[in-house]
Amino acid sequence: MDNYEEAQRILKTIYPDYSEPLFTEINQNIRSKGLRISESILRRYHLALKTRKFVILSGTSGTGKTWLTKAYAEVVAAEYLLVPVAPNWTTNEDLLGYFNPMDKEYHYTAFSHFLEKAAQEYEQAQTEKRTPKPYHLILDEMNLARVEYYFAKFLSAMEVRMREGLAQIELASEKQVLLPPNLYFIGTVNVDETTHNFADKVYDRAQMIEMEVCRNDLFEHLGEVEYREILMEVWDNLHLVTPFAFRVLDEINNYVNEAKVLNISWEEALDEQLLQKILPKLKGADDRVGEALKAFVDIAENKFNLSHTKASKMLKTFEQHGFTSYF
């Protein structure tokens, strides 16, 4: 018994028992990272992971979906893997890899390697009678391809895991891996013309959380820059038809700062950014596109020549044909 206890003590030094922080601590630590997110959204994400272990984060590009997954994983000390989904994925093999009958070897992907590591951590923790470390697997822009095609095996296995606590995933004939309870799947999605809608079976097996961008958060995020009021006026008039969020604001700010190094005024640099980052988003036949362009032309008049000229041409095209685009 003495030897056993000594062995357990050493094992716990090498593989310490996992302990999840309290939600208040998670909330505080994530905010310290500079991520602008409401406590309500963070709490929903926290509870959704515990409840379903498959969470989908949707929202405008640049709202911080991927940033949230990374920050949360760091705070709870989870192993983390980001897997960008490719538009040409059509089968489970695109995600999991495949067995090559020519060389008699299984060709892994980063995803399947991570899956096996999570399973090994769970099995080792069971042997050592400790809590396993969580593993967070992120499918970035997961609806660029049809989820029910490349993720089919997991959609079925997740139901088994929910009922029985564990499930098996078949990687190849006579090669299976455990789908353990310490493995969490999170998908990020942007909804536009380049993405696919989800089938009901996906919604049934996931917790869906929409991350909306708050005007006040954007305003505070800009800080005390000279163009804050102008840029927010643009956002007020355009966000219903062409939303943009923190990523675009950061790029504009970086561009303006670099321009100042070259002795270019912030007005000229902002004009270039309105032309390069905002106007390409305005397109379509919706009447609101025309209204947004009219508002933009008024804002840019006598201030931003480049973007005013381009927006005026786009507006003229819309008035003549009922449709417009940047090109």
Side-chain angles (χ1 to χ4, degrees):
M1 179 60 70
D2 289 342
N3 291 338
Y4 173 79
E5 289 178 348
E6 178 64 14
Q8 289 295 100
R9 187 189 66 78
I10 295 172
L11 281 172
K12 285 194 173 185
T13 302
I14 301 172
Y15 301 104
D17 192 36
Y18 175 77
S19 178
E20 183 182 84
L22 296 174
F23 176 73
T24 52
E25 184 180 345
I26 294 173
N27 183 36
Q28 181 180 359
N29 286 340
I30 284 182
R31 290 189 178 283
S32 70
K33 295 177 180 292
L35 181 61
R36 296 186 182 276
I37 182 175
S38 70
E39 183 174 335
S40 172
I41 291 292
L42 181 58
R43 174 179 52 77
R44 286 164 56 191
Y45 181 66
H46 176 76
L47 293 175
L49 284 172
K50 288 182 168 298
T51 304
R52 190 73 206 190
K53 301 187 180 184
F54 179 26
V55 181
I56 297 174
L57 296 173
S58 70
T60 301
S61 177
T63 52
K65 299 182 292 294
T66 306
W67 190 5
L68 170 60
T69 67
K70 179 68 172 175
Y72 185 94
E74 287 177 352
V75 170
V76 301
E79 293 294 324
Y80 181 89
L81 177 67
L82 180 72
V83 178
V85 172
N88 62 340
W89 285 5
T90 56
T91 68
N92 293 284
E93 286 74 18
D94 291 316
L95 188 64
L96 290 171
Y98 62 95
F99 178 79
N100 188 335
M102 300 294 292
D103 58 19
K104 307 296 183 182
E105 291 186 359
Y106 189 83
H107 291 252
Y108 283 87
T109 63
F111 184 100
S112 53
H113 268 306
F114 194 79
L115 192 65
E116 284 200 339
K117 287 179 181 178
Q120 290 167 2
E121 162 64 12
Y122 173 77
E123 291 168 343
Q124 190 162 5
Q126 290 296 103
T127 300
E128 297 164 4
K129 293 181 171 51
R130 59 180 176 84
T131 304
K133 187 175 186 177
Y135 279 64
H136 287 200
L137 206 161
I138 318 302
L139 292 169
D140 197 33
E141 298 195 58
M142 70 180 301
N143 60 333
L144 281 179
R146 291 197 176 277
V147 179
E148 58 270 25
Y149 290 175
Y150 71 85
F151 207 54
K153 287 183 178 181
F154 289 90
L155 293 175
S156 299
M158 282 179 186
E159 284 303 292
V160 176
R161 186 174 70 167
M162 283 298 295
R163 291 193 304 269
E164 302 177 9
L166 297 171
Q168 293 283 340
I169 290 289
E170 183 180 295
L171 298 181
S173 179
E174 299 183 0
K175 183 174 180 61
Q176 293 186 328
V177 63
L178 188 69
L179 190 63
N182 62 317
L183 179 62
Y184 300 80
F185 295 97
I186 302 100
T188 69
V189 302
N190 297 323
V191 181
D192 57 36
E193 67 275 7
T194 67
T195 60
H196 298 278
N197 291 325
F198 291 128
D200 284 345
K201 66 186 294 184
V202 179
Y203 288 120
D204 290 344
R205 289 160 173 79
Q207 289 276 351
M208 174 71 73
I209 300 174
E210 183 178 13
M211 290 183 64
E212 297 180 344
V213 60
C214 173
R215 187 190 191 281
N216 189 56
D217 286 342
L218 292 175
F219 186 80
E220 292 183 2
H221 189 74
L222 277 169
E224 299 295 331
V225 294
E226 306 96 324
Y227 48 87
R228 179 164 67 171
E229 296 294 342
I230 294 173
L231 198 50
M232 290 310 304
E233 186 180 1
V234 171
W235 187 86
D236 288 337
N237 286 281
L238 271 62
H239 76 277
L240 292 179
V241 289
T242 177
F244 58 92
F246 302 109
R247 183 187 298 124
V248 170
L249 298 188
D250 288 340
E251 287 191 30
I252 291 175
N253 188 52
N254 291 337
Y255 187 96
V256 173
N257 287 337
E258 289 297 326
K260 288 179 178 179
V261 176
L262 302 180
N263 294 319
I264 296 171
S265 69
W266 70 261
E267 291 92 345
E268 186 176 354
L270 180 59
D271 186 15
E272 293 168 358
Q273 281 300 274
L274 293 174
L275 178 69
Q276 295 165 202
K277 294 295 298 183
I278 304 300
L279 286 179
K281 294 174 173 287
L282 272 171
K283 57 185 178 294
D286 192 320
D287 287 342
R288 295 178 301 173
V289 173
E291 294 171 2
L293 278 169
K294 288 178 183 178
F296 186 93
V297 168
D298 289 341
I299 295 169
E301 189 172 12
N302 299 322
K303 297 188 190 78
F304 308 113
N305 293 332
L306 288 175
S307 53
H308 180 268
T309 300
K310 183 65 175 181
S312 297
K313 289 180 180 178
M314 292 171 65
L315 178 59
K316 185 177 180 179
T317 300
F318 185 87
E319 292 172 342
Q320 290 177 341
H321 304 290
F323 174 88
T324 195
S325 68
Y326 189 82
F327 299 104

